[in-house]
Amino acid sequence: ILPLSSPSIVAALSGSRLVQLRPVLPLATSRRRKSARPGSNPANTWSNLLYVALGVLMWSEARRLGRRDLAVFGPASVLVGLFSWVYHASYTYFFQFFDFVGMFVFCFLPLALNARRLGWIRPGRELAFQAAGVVGFSAAVPVLFELGFPIQALVFVLIVAIVAQELALRARSAD
């Protein structure tokens, strides 16, 4: 079994015809991707600017409504968009690291806010909780990369954790 980040194309027989199975995850997690031509994925590159535009809109609307709790999502979205834009424009491992950092920043934001709502952390400790999570997960990226672990799975774990927190909050409010 090839790792999900493998750049190889695997041939498999399906009935009587040959089917090409391509890796599920982007090739940037492989060492071969370091030599990819910059700007070789313009659709993903330019579509990331939507995160920037929507982040500015979220930040502006949250400020207009006086919602400081929601205002932090705007800058996080801008960061995701900028880091992802640079990564997709370059396709280098160096910038892919920051692409993941942006995703960690965004994912740890609702995790931190929900941790406060669930009583796991004291009010005012959300930023420290988020920063610790981002630093910890970011520090794990190079180690897990060397082990062949699909780094995208970390983002999946964070999403599952967010959904679990939301379900716990929903169950609590139903009582």
Side-chain angles (χ1 to χ4, degrees):
I1 298 176
L2 292 171
L4 292 175
S5 60
S6 171
S8 304
I9 298 175
V10 180
L13 287 176
S14 173
S16 60
R17 61 184 194 157
L18 189 65
V19 177
Q20 296 293 317
L21 301 176
R22 301 195 187 278
V24 174
L25 301 176
L27 299 178
T29 54
S30 72
R31 284 177 175 70
R32 180 177 162 213
R33 188 57 159 200
K34 291 179 184 176
S35 63
R37 183 175 56 85
S40 61
N41 195 343
N44 278 344
T45 301
W46 294 108
S47 66
N48 284 297
L49 294 180
L50 187 58
Y51 282 100
V52 174
L54 292 175
V56 170
L57 180 64
M58 282 190 282
W59 180 73
S60 175
E61 279 297 297
R63 285 189 52 148
R64 185 181 68 76
L65 297 171
R67 295 289 309 267
R68 290 181 48 187
D69 58 332
L70 297 180
V72 292
F73 283 93
S77 180
V78 168
L79 191 69
V80 168
L82 291 176
F83 282 178
S84 192
W85 179 75
V86 171
Y87 160 62
H88 286 285
S90 69
Y91 269 143
T92 62
Y93 174 74
F94 177 79
F95 286 117
Q96 185 184 32
F97 172 80
F98 289 100
D99 186 33
F100 285 118
V101 170
M103 288 184 268
F104 297 153
V105 166
F106 197 88
C107 287
F108 271 101
L109 184 54
L111 280 169
L113 295 173
N114 285 342
R116 178 189 40 83
R117 293 169 61 204
L118 287 164
W120 299 348
I121 61 173
R122 292 186 325 264
R125 301 294 301 160
E126 298 91 350
L127 183 59
F129 181 92
Q130 181 188 19
V134 171
V135 168
F137 270 58
S138 297
V141 167
V143 174
L144 294 175
F145 173 78
E146 288 301 320
L147 295 173
F149 184 83
I151 308 303
Q152 294 86 341
L154 291 176
V155 177
F156 177 75
V157 166
L158 293 173
I159 293 168
V160 168
I162 294 165
V163 170
Q165 285 180 320
E166 289 293 334
L167 291 173
L169 286 163
R170 184 175 185 179
R172 179 194 289 177
S173 69
D175 292 339

